[in-house]
Amino acid sequence: MHAIAQRVVIAYGSESGNAKALAEGLAAAPCVAALQPQVMPLNAVDLQASWGDEALLLIISSSFGDGEPPGNAEGFLAQLRQSGALAQLRYAIFGLGDTAYPNFCGFTKQLDALLQERGAQAIINRVDADIGYADFFARWQSVLEQVLQGDAQAGLALSLRVIAYGENDAYAAAILERRQLNHAGPDAEPGAYHIRLACEGSGMRWRAGDTLHVLAQNDPQLLAQLAQWYGAPEAAELLRDKELRQISKGVLRELARLGGSDALKGLLKFSQRQQLEQYLWGADVLDVLQDFCTPEKVPLAELAQLLSPRLPRAYSIASHGQAGHIDLCIRHVRYERQGRQREGMATHWLLTQGGPVQVYCRANPGFHLAGDAAAPLILIGTGTGIAPLMGLLRELQASGQPRQTCLFFGEKRQAQDFLYREELESLQAEGVLHKLVTAFSRDGAEKYYVQHALQEHAVTLRDWIAQGAHVYVCGNKQHLERAIGAAFDALLADTQQGAADPDETPWQRLGREGRVHLELY
């Protein structure tokens, strides 16, 4: 028996349709449907109507842009601002937002504040949900059912609020663990490392497949070398927070203009784009200054003004959202160029930093687990591209809902480069991972890659694709997607008969159906 409400109004503010769909789904839920709820846009709600003890207003709304109301909610906001006391109004708000915007869930936060100012009573604490809102909504709906049945404390105890960390307000995460995953040996890859960051209690929310952005500091040695080139010790401090590694074409054009370098201007021509890409691989600002400029033609103050703020580096998260920590799998980048030893900016920082690391999460819905639990999963990763796939497997393990899952993992040598071997074998023994297929390219007389392994398991893969399988691919974008696509085109070639578009390849068809998920770098 419903104890606290006899009439429910579900009002939505929606631009893309997500909030409207949630509102309609909520109205059909057994705990609400018995009350014959009214579903309407927020603009259709009349705050001057009678809101006695028997009535309840449930608001589900997104925020448009940087915290603005959706078009079908602007009128409600104006009405609320002009309203008098609303002491009899009881309400609950589920806010949808995107942490990429500084004013995350700004509209629903504003609604909550205005309603409280006017004496309205929230029966459930406001929810601030990010793009991956499905889990939050399921938990909110469950608490709403408890509240409707008379458990008022359940609503007041709920705390579902994503904190919108970003570049200007990052979270300081302590490093809990660093562990090398591969082993030294002939022809071994550079070090691959497992990094674990403490995030419990941070308010960050993520799912397997999402990305972690790391705000690493510039290499002190590079800053000292820039100061030496300029003959100005203050250069190190002036450029400390500038982007010195990822050099945009706009910066290059301005350096070519200031330096008067015809060689750099020529390199920037469209016809020379491949040569420019080759030149920029592993280059930093000091390389460009030494090769094409002089300190007199590019004064330090102008360079500092020209360069953008230091950019974050993004890594695929290798842990599930309920773990209380964030795992990464990174490659230690080390190389020599023009007589200078170089290291990857963020990887070096993560492997040497003693104190907390500044980080924030961003949703990547395209790499989340597919919603249909009956759909098999084909996971394909090479090298540290195994990171988000480990996250998906760990999420499956935590959920306790087994699915047909096959992992194809490629590296150079089994004895040295079998990343996460013990854990993968344990997941296979538990039944979380049904099939583990490896491709170690240097262990045989001929090169053997993941695309060859796919071809050898063509019968199983064709069967799984027919069952609606989703394919997840993570690794180097230069070669991997083309090779994987060609392998699937070959093994599915006989399934194209009678296709609506004879020019569409099987791989393209899977992509159009939303069954291909790519995370390439």
Side-chain angles (χ1 to χ4, degrees), residues 491-508:
L491 66 90
L492 297 174
D494 58 355
T495 68
Q496 286 296 92
Q497 296 180 0
D501 182 357
D503 295 326
E504 184 179 55
T505 69
W507 184 247
Q508 289 171 337

Side-chain angles (χ1 to χ4, degrees), residues 61-318:
S61 180
S62 62
S63 292
F64 177 68
D66 191 18
E68 298 298 317
N72 58 6
E74 291 177 338
F76 179 80
L77 178 60
Q79 182 187 177
L80 180 56
R81 282 173 171 161
Q82 297 171 7
S83 174
L86 296 169
Q88 287 189 307
L89 176 60
R90 292 177 303 160
Y91 71 96
I93 295 177
F94 188 94
L96 299 163
D98 184 344
T99 52
Y101 291 99
N103 195 11
F104 167 66
C105 281
F107 173 58
T108 45
K109 288 177 181 176
Q110 187 178 17
L111 288 186
D112 193 26
L114 289 171
L115 286 166
Q116 290 192 37
E117 286 176 9
R118 285 149 182 76
Q121 177 189 353
I123 63 164
I124 304 176
N125 293 328
R126 186 192 73 246
V127 175
D128 301 333
D130 196 2
I131 295 172
Y133 54 79
D135 176 59
F136 270 25
F137 192 77
R139 292 163 67 183
W140 184 72
Q141 182 172 308
S142 175
V143 169
L144 174 62
E145 181 175 6
Q146 295 175 54
V147 173
L148 288 174
Q149 292 174 350
D151 184 359
Q153 189 57 37
L156 301 178
L158 185 68
S159 179
L160 292 177
R161 291 183 183 175
V162 174
I163 297 178
Y165 294 106
E167 287 186 53
N168 299 320
D169 185 25
Y171 177 71
I175 296 179
L176 297 175
E177 184 181 351
R178 293 187 184 101
R179 173 167 50 89
Q180 188 164 354
L181 296 170
N182 61 349
H183 307 286
D187 201 27
E189 285 286 339
Y193 290 84
H194 160 85
I195 305 289
R196 176 162 292 179
L197 303 173
C199 297
E200 191 167 8
S202 66
M204 282 196 295
R205 303 285 176 176
W206 69 92
R207 285 188 59 181
D210 288 345
T211 56
L212 184 77
H213 293 250
V214 177
L215 296 171
Q217 294 186 11
N218 278 311
D219 182 2
Q221 185 175 353
L222 175 57
L223 291 167
Q225 290 165 337
L226 281 162
Q228 183 179 8
W229 188 78
Y230 270 108
E234 66 273 17
E237 187 59 34
L238 195 60
L239 301 176
R240 186 175 305 281
D241 295 323
K242 298 296 183 178
E243 180 53 54
L244 306 178
R245 302 293 292 273
Q246 296 185 19
I247 313 167
S248 69
K249 281 192 175 180
V251 169
L252 291 172
R253 290 191 187 98
E254 190 61 17
L255 288 176
R257 184 190 69 79
L258 290 170
S261 172
D262 291 335
L264 183 53
K265 290 176 184 176
L267 200 58
L268 287 166
K269 292 180 179 178
F270 182 76
S271 61
Q272 300 298 304
R273 61 189 182 279
Q274 188 172 357
Q275 288 83 348
L276 177 63
E277 184 177 328
Q278 291 173 349
Y279 172 78
L280 290 177
W281 189 94
D284 54 38
V285 166
L286 180 56
D287 289 314
V288 180
L289 293 173
Q290 289 176 329
D291 292 341
F292 303 108
C293 306
T294 65
E296 294 74 27
K297 289 187 175 180
V298 183
L300 176 59
E302 289 201 41
L303 178 69
Q305 187 173 8
L306 174 63
L307 296 176
S308 69
R310 193 174 64 244
L311 297 172
R313 268 55 175 177
Y315 292 92
S316 296
I317 294 175

Side-chain angles (χ1 to χ4, degrees), residues 316-381:
S316 296
I317 294 175
S319 49
H320 64 85
Q322 305 305 314
H325 56 255
I326 288 181
D327 288 345
L328 304 177
C329 179
I330 67 172
R331 182 81 67 188
H332 190 190
V333 178
R334 306 177 76 171
Y335 60 99
E336 181 181 326
R337 176 187 165 118
Q338 296 183 329
R340 283 197 288 130
Q341 291 293 327
R342 320 288 178 94
E343 296 191 86
M345 176 181 167
T347 55
H348 179 66
W349 176 249
L350 285 167
L351 291 171
T352 59
Q353 169 68 351
V357 178
Q358 303 295 315
V359 300
Y360 61 94
C361 293
R362 286 293 177 263
N364 183 23
F367 214 77
H368 290 169
L369 282 174
D372 184 1
L377 302 173
I378 301 168
L379 313 179
I380 305 167

